[in-house]
Amino acid sequence: MKNIDKTIDTIMKAVMAAAMFSLVVGGTWQIFTRWILKDPSTFTEEFMRYMLIWASMIGSAYCFYKDKHLTLDLFKKKATGKKEKVLMVFIESMILFFVIYVFVYGGSKMAFNATNTSSVMQIPFKYLYMILPISGIFIVLARALKYYQAFLVSRKSKEEN
Amino acid sequence: ACGEKTDTPAGDQTFNLKLGHNLAEDHAVHLELSDFAEKVKEKTDGTVTVQIFPNGTLGSETDMISQIQNDALDMAKVSASTLGNFSAQYNAYSVPYVFDDQDHYYSVMDGEITQDIFSSTSGDGFIGLTWLDSGSRSFYTKDRAIRTPEDLKGLKIRTMDSQIAIDMMDALGGSATVMGYSDIYTGLQQGVIDGAENNVTALRDHGEVAKFYSFDEHSRIPDIVVLSAKVWDAMTEEQKSAIKEAAMEASDSYKTRWKNFEDEVLEKATNEFGVELVRDVDIKAFQDAVQPIYENLETESPEVFEVVQKIRDAVK
Amino acid sequence: MVIQATLILFGIFFVMLFSGVPISVGIGIASIITAFFSFDPSVFAITAAQRVFSGIDSFALLALPFFTLAGNIMNKGGIAQRLVRLARLVVGWIPGYLAATNVLANMFFGAISGSSVAATSAMGSIMSPLEREEGYDPNYSAAVNICSAPTGIIIPPSGPLILYSITAGGVSVAALFMAGYIPGLILGLSVLTVAIIMAAKKGYKKSTVKEVDSPLKVVIDAIPSLLAVIIVMAGILAGWFTPTEAGVVAVLYCGLLGFLYKELNLKNLYEILADTMISSATILFLIAASTIMSYVMSYSGIPAAISRMIMGASSNKYVLLLIMNLFLLVMGMFLDLTPAVLIFTPIFLPIIGSIGMSPVHFGIMLILNLGIGSVTPPVGSCLFVGCSVGKVSIEGVTRYIIPLFAAMVVALLLVTYIPALSLWIPYVFGLIPSF
Ligand code: NA
Ligand code: NA
């Protein structure tokens, strides 16, 4: 399990760094073409917008895996035993409901019904919207994996006792 | 939306249609659409009502069209330029100088060519119901008037994010700078851009920072009222013809309303903001300069070119 | 109907919040359930998905990751350290000079970076070990760091001011940026004053360490870093680049300095790029979820109803401003800055229009107020990050945050009731016609 965790971290780091780097390159190119070449690039604006959306959604899925989303854990930390379990189940079901309803269900319906293309690069919105169901599924997997790992750890510690 | 239709004792379905647009409640479009809603109610004996959501409450024009495709909305007022991303034929309206003048424009928009385009998208989930005048678009600039294409040389001009608009800027010699409408004011003020292009009503927002409005009238991109194809198909013939009638009346009366709106803005722009209106523009030179666009269209988007040709043929 | 919808929306949100559901998810769930009262669920799923996508489909929003990246590069690239040494030079004679250094360095840092969270993390990680060494209470140090970080989003450049400009429908970013200088200075000085009083009471000493380098060298060393301020702001004012592009320029310039200082290499740059994208992702996810809430609110007529209610309470401009500030301070306790900007801007814009307040002035007041919200428990991004880098608990710092909070509120009131503090500089630069 440690290996899976490490692999995910390595891959995600590479993807996130590449996305951020491409945004900086895009922005630099936009300024450079306007001021040095005097022939402003017209696609960078669109490219950077969609890159930001895609990268944020993938990054969000990773943050669900790493529990990095802003949370008030005042009461969660104090809860113990049965209360803690109930709270955990509640939190997970809310995350799953939100993600499956909006990202997976709504997002895939929107993607499949889209017939338009982006204005400059002419990318079909079908593909652009696909990031919603994709990241939605990643989020669900991320939560499952997180709990599976926690389960393995607790079993291991029980065995050791 | 479509979930809100109910049956009357007479057997006719009643519809409560939601219509979205992204302009303020005091804008001419909103006033006209409110009148349209009244007329629809009257003409259909209350079996069809229209509820208007102004101010872009429901999202951008692109968002609203997708909502119609997904049954989340019934009607929207959108630009033909936005529709071009859904159905290429609509791009024909954005081609520079496809219309010679206002008469040509009106006759095409009220005629058969447009009706054919309106009904051609029913497979995509929506149809065009009617159109609203959006005037002619020209360049407005910060430092110098634009009388010939040469005057655009070296100027950074804000361009709508559409390929035709970008191609036009390239053909005319200006530098196309793509940015959102809300960035134009600061862009002009700070000099990130030297100018933009739009109909005269944009001077309401940018008259303080743009000092010249040059009437080169390079395009006339209409607003289109679109309607869900599903809802349209569910209506009775009586309801359809009543709505069509109200829609045509709206289109007609809007021509005057738009004219008054333009005059009002021009008056304010000249008297309050001191914008200079430049009318001695060499339009012929501009028309010649954009010819390469027509040649490209013929090879690259034959379906748009076909419509363009029909529009050009209607000149006579 | 509207009251019902408002109660349901905020009621569910608070239940979610206190149960420990991630805030973005809580905002989403509250909006969805409220929407079920007026939408067909199968239809609303698509609308919500569309809001998520369109909500972050904005070129201006790119400024957020860029200004955060610039901050992170400053932190690792040796720029933050040079700013700290300069700050220490200026305030070394003051009791509790390390805390004072922290405040001043946060202001310098904020003049280049546009993210208060990046500032909290950068300054916290540099200052807290030094302060621990000199026997400062870590809770005190962390509280000062947390409360001085919001100066960075008032002093330009500023990610939140850009977010406000987008939400308000194109209020000039250049004007907002220039408007932030004096209020940011006032906020910083207020926090500084109270921090010094607290330090004096605790008996913290002034600097006894001899700076190895001469003052002149410290100043010269800091000049290239401070030059970033001029490049970024002059570039925006002169029209060389848009505010979003200014973020790119800040990144490039700070990156170049970092490599020249030999603090930055490909390896840590890689880490910085990845970290920045990941932390930006959580902010953008929060924005995406918040736009579902904004949609549901405006669809149900909630903003209009709340503005009517507040305007009905009084017609006096000063009273209305007080009500708005109190309301925002309370909401700021529970909501993070990002969703709060998206949710409250449309509610208050009609009110400020009716009392003739400048949207530029309002923007500064709003971001300053919500910046205070980012340091107050229980929810606040500066609070969370500041506790984590300072290795202290929220319960521990709260005691020290209270007096600093009072100082921040004094600054807020000054900025609220003296429009000239915000509007004078943009007026001088010709960015606003009058005030
Ligand atoms: Na700043
Ligand atoms: Na707070």
Side-chain angles (χ1 to χ4, degrees):
Chain A
M1 273 333 274
K2 269 241 169 75
N3 280 333
I4 293 188
D5 186 53
K6 245 192 168 160
T7 314
I8 292 177
D9 283 350
T10 314
I11 294 175
M12 284 314 298
K13 233 183 204 165
V15 171
M16 292 291 100
M20 190 70 234
F21 184 69
S22 76
L23 288 177
V24 175
V25 171
T28 310
W29 181 246
Q30 182 161 315
I31 303 170
F32 179 77
T33 52
R34 197 172 65 242
W35 284 102
I36 313 293
L37 303 185
K38 307 272 180 205
D39 178 20
S41 143
T42 48
F43 79 95
T44 36
E45 207 244 24
E46 208 174 79
F47 164 79
M48 289 163 80
R49 266 170 30 216
Y50 296 134
M51 175 56 82
L52 180 69
I53 297 176
W54 271 69
S56 306
M57 286 299 140
I58 304 267
S60 295
Y62 180 60
C63 292
F64 271 105
Y65 176 64
K66 291 273 155 186
D67 264 333
K68 280 194 178 179
H69 285 284
L70 199 59
T71 307
L72 176 63
D73 49 11
L74 208 65
F75 293 95
K76 202 169 73 179
K77 267 196 296 199
K78 283 183 186 146
T80 49
K82 206 174 161 200
K83 260 191 195 158
E84 189 191 8
K85 280 216 174 95
V86 172
L87 211 51
M88 242 169 63
V89 171
F90 177 73
I91 293 170
E92 291 313 312
S93 38
M94 287 302 112
I95 295 178
L96 288 185
F97 170 64
F98 178 64
V99 167
I100 292 174
Y101 176 70
V102 177
F103 286 70
V104 181
Y105 175 68
S108 58
K109 249 180 123 172
M110 188 167 75
F112 288 127
N113 289 344
T115 61
N116 53 325
T117 55
S118 76
S119 348
V120 179
M121 293 192 293
Q122 298 287 312
I123 308 169
F125 265 87
K126 229 180 226 339
Y127 304 135
L128 292 173
Y129 286 151
M130 257 321 171
I131 189 57
L132 295 178
I134 291 173
S135 61
I137 290 167
F138 278 173
I139 294 171
V140 174
L141 290 176
R143 296 312 283 184
L145 194 60
K146 191 175 104 68
Y147 277 92
Y148 183 59
Q149 280 170 348
F151 168 75
L152 284 187
V153 169
S154 78
R155 198 174 63 179
K156 206 170 168 203
S157 69
K158 260 184 207 153
E159 277 165 7
E160 275 164 9
N161 287 341
Chain B
C2 305
E4 288 186 48
K5 44 191 179 196
T6 43
D7 291 327
T8 60
D12 283 359
Q13 272 192 337
T14 69
F15 296 86
N16 176 21
L17 305 179
K18 290 192 285 183
L19 187 164
H21 69 77
N22 60 7
L23 294 161
E25 280 144 295
D26 61 353
H27 193 282
V29 159
H30 184 77
L31 303 176
E32 191 63 56
L33 290 173
S34 306
D35 287 356
F36 165 75
E38 285 288 316
K39 280 187 201 151
V40 167
K41 196 175 168 191
E42 212 173 275
K43 287 178 197 283
T44 59
D45 297 323
T47 64
V48 179
T49 54
V50 179
Q51 189 189 359
I52 303 174
F53 292 84
N55 287 322
T57 321
L58 304 179
S60 68
E61 292 190 344
T62 303
D63 290 346
M64 289 191 287
I65 302 169
S66 327
Q67 284 165 23
I68 292 177
Q69 291 181 315
N70 286 297
D71 302 332
L73 181 67
D74 307 294
M75 298 178 77
K77 190 277 319 166
V78 297
S79 166
S81 163
T82 313
L83 278 168
N85 294 326
F86 287 83
S87 168
Q89 292 186 59
Y90 276 100
N91 282 329
Y93 297 124
S94 304
V95 173
Y97 297 109
V98 70
F99 300 113
D100 275 358
D101 50 29
Q102 182 172 287
D103 289 342
H104 178 209
Y105 171 55
Y106 281 2
S107 76
V108 168
M109 291 315 297
D110 288 329
E112 208 177 311
I113 302 173
T114 298
Q115 286 305 320
D116 287 348
I117 296 178
F118 278 177
S119 51
S120 70
T121 54
S122 72
D124 295 323
F126 63 89
I127 56 161
L129 181 64
T130 193
W131 68 285
L132 297 175
D133 193 358
S134 191
S136 63
R137 300 173 71 95
S138 295
F139 292 107
Y140 55 100
T141 38
K142 204 178 167 183
D143 301 318
R144 66 164 109 125
I146 308 296
R147 292 190 172 81
T148 65
E150 280 69 48
D151 294 329
L152 282 168
K153 284 261 146 54
L155 293 192
K156 297 181 290 290
I157 305 289
R158 180 268 175 175
T159 309
M160 284 191 292
D161 58 345
S162 91
Q163 197 54 51
I164 294 186
I166 293 168
D167 290 345
M168 180 186 79
M169 283 317 307
D170 289 346
L172 293 177
S175 296
T177 303
V178 175
M179 56 164 69
Y181 185 83
S182 61
D183 291 331
I184 297 177
Y185 183 92
T186 322
L188 279 171
Q189 187 181 44
Q190 308 305 130
V192 176
I193 48 172
D194 304 301
E197 56 83 47
N198 212 322
N199 61 47
V200 294
T201 65
L203 294 175
R204 276 212 305 186
D205 299 329
H206 308 140
E208 274 177 52
V209 282
K211 287 298 141 229
F212 300 92
Y213 190 92
S214 312
F215 286 87
D216 64 289
E217 306 194 305
H218 50 260
S219 60
R220 297 165 196 272
I221 307 178
D223 280 342
I224 311 287
V225 179
V226 292
L227 174 74
S228 154
K230 214 183 204 174
V231 170
W232 185 248
D233 291 341
M235 286 179 173
T236 64
E237 287 309 315
E238 289 76 36
Q239 287 171 322
K240 282 183 189 173
S241 65
I243 289 174
K244 200 82 200 169
E245 202 178 286
M248 307 265 259
E249 283 174 25
S251 176
D252 224 35
S253 80
Y254 191 68
K255 289 171 187 163
T256 324
R257 212 190 277 262
W258 174 262
K259 180 81 182 55
N260 294 339
F261 183 32
E262 273 190 338
D263 289 346
E264 199 181 293
V265 176
L266 280 177
E267 150 96 27
K268 187 177 175 188
T270 41
N271 294 342
E272 241 177 78
F273 300 142
V275 177
E276 189 182 326
L277 305 179
V278 182
R279 298 207 184 256
D280 55 335
V281 176
D282 184 358
I283 290 182
K284 181 78 179 48
F286 280 92
Q287 286 171 334
D288 291 344
V290 298
Q291 280 318 302
I293 292 178
Y294 286 77
E295 287 148 30
N296 278 347
L297 274 180
E298 190 169 5
T299 51
E300 278 165 27
S301 3
E303 59 173 327
V304 179
F305 188 69
E306 197 186 320
V307 180
V308 167
Q309 265 188 322
K310 279 188 204 159
I311 296 177
R312 295 303 307 152
D313 288 345
V315 175
K316 295 116 208 177
Chain C
M1 259 315 275
V2 181
I3 295 175
Q4 224 175 341
T6 315
L7 291 177
I8 293 169
L9 186 72
F10 285 102
I12 297 173
F13 169 69
F14 279 108
V15 171
M16 297 289 148
L17 176 71
F18 285 103
S19 318
V21 174
I23 292 172
S24 46
V25 175
I27 288 175
I29 298 269
S31 319
I32 291 168
I33 295 177
T34 311
F36 282 172
F37 287 90
S38 39
F39 285 89
D40 178 347
S42 73
V43 166
F44 188 72
I46 298 161
T47 310
Q50 194 182 61
R51 289 296 88 210
V52 164
F53 192 94
S54 302
I56 52 176
D57 182 8
S58 153
F59 186 71
L61 272 185
L62 280 155
L64 300 181
F66 285 140
F67 281 122
T68 310
L69 180 60
N72 292 342
I73 290 179
M74 285 163 68
N75 186 13
K76 297 277 160 61
I79 296 171
Q81 286 77 358
R82 283 169 175 79
L83 294 177
V84 166
R85 282 166 62 198
L86 178 69
R88 188 163 61 181
L89 183 71
V90 178
V91 292
W93 51 278
I94 292 173
Y97 76 101
L98 281 177
T101 301
N102 193 166
V103 177
L104 198 60
N106 257 332
M107 291 164 74
F108 289 156
F109 192 90
I112 308 168
S113 149
S115 150
S116 54
V117 174
T120 317
S121 142
M123 290 306 153
S125 49
I126 298 174
M127 295 305 299
S128 71
L130 299 177
E131 288 173 277
R132 220 174 268 261
E133 221 166 84
E134 294 213 8
Y136 284 42
D137 179 347
N139 285 314
Y140 164 77
S141 316
V144 173
N145 179 41
I146 291 166
C147 292
S148 56
T151 53
I153 52 170
I154 312 295
I155 297 173
S158 159
L161 283 175
I162 292 178
L163 188 65
Y164 164 75
S165 150
I166 305 171
T167 319
V171 177
S172 158
V173 173
L176 284 167
F177 276 10
M178 296 316 280
Y181 277 114
I182 296 177
L185 202 66
I186 292 176
L187 181 66
L189 292 178
S190 312
V191 171
L192 185 67
T193 311
V194 173
I196 294 170
I197 295 173
M198 286 161 82
K201 275 196 180 152
K202 286 181 150 283
Y204 295 155
K205 308 242 157 31
K206 48 187 156 187
S207 179
T208 49
V209 257
K210 264 264 170 275
E211 180 66 68
V212 202
D213 297 325
S214 71
L216 189 66
K217 180 156 189 320
V218 172
V219 173
I220 290 174
D221 246 15
I223 284 176
S225 306
L226 292 173
L227 214 57
V229 183
I230 296 167
I231 292 173
V232 169
M233 288 311 295
I236 295 175
L237 287 174
W240 298 334
F241 29 78
T242 62
T244 305
E245 292 166 352
V248 180
V249 173
V251 165
L252 295 177
Y253 182 79
C254 295
L256 185 73
L257 277 189
F259 277 107
L260 286 178
Y261 292 153
K262 297 196 169 48
E263 304 271 357
L264 220 54
N265 50 48
L266 290 179
K267 193 172 172 300
N268 62 10
L269 184 64
Y270 178 76
E271 301 280 328
I272 294 170
L273 287 170
D275 284 351
T276 305
M277 193 65 242
I278 291 167
S279 66
S280 303
T282 63
I283 295 181
L284 281 145
F285 195 78
L286 202 50
I287 293 179
S290 307
T291 55
I292 307 181
M293 189 181 253
S294 310
Y295 176 86
V296 172
M297 284 177 69
S298 60
Y299 193 89
S300 328
I302 295 175
I306 297 183
S307 351
R308 266 200 308 275
M309 206 169 72
I310 294 179
M311 281 193 279
S314 170
S315 56
N316 183 305
K317 185 175 170 174
Y318 302 99
V319 177
L320 283 174
L321 285 171
L322 192 68
I323 296 175
M324 279 193 275
N325 272 316
L326 288 175
F327 180 85
L328 286 169
L329 282 173
V330 172
M331 295 311 289
M333 291 172 69
F334 305 100
L335 265 174
D336 194 46
L337 189 142
T338 309
V341 171
L342 293 166
I343 291 162
F344 298 122
T345 303
I347 294 185
F348 289 139
L349 272 184
I351 303 180
I352 69 132
S354 78
I355 60 176
M357 184 182 194
S358 147
V360 172
H361 178 203
F362 174 69
I364 300 294
M365 181 190 106
L366 177 79
I367 301 300
L368 176 47
N369 192 311
L370 296 175
I372 297 176
S374 71
V375 312
T376 54
V379 178
S381 42
C382 289
L383 176 74
F384 289 179
V385 172
C387 287
S388 130
V389 293
K391 300 192 177 65
V392 292
S393 71
I394 293 178
E395 289 78 10
V397 287
T398 303
R399 185 157 54 99
Y400 294 103
I401 285 185
I402 293 167
L404 293 166
F405 167 83
M408 296 173 91
V409 171
V410 170
L412 173 67
L413 291 175
L414 287 173
V415 169
T416 302
Y417 289 112
I418 311 176
L421 295 177
S422 309
L423 299 178
W424 182 66
I425 295 186
Y427 171 73
V428 168
F429 277 84
L431 297 166
I432 52 170
S434 61
F435 69 89

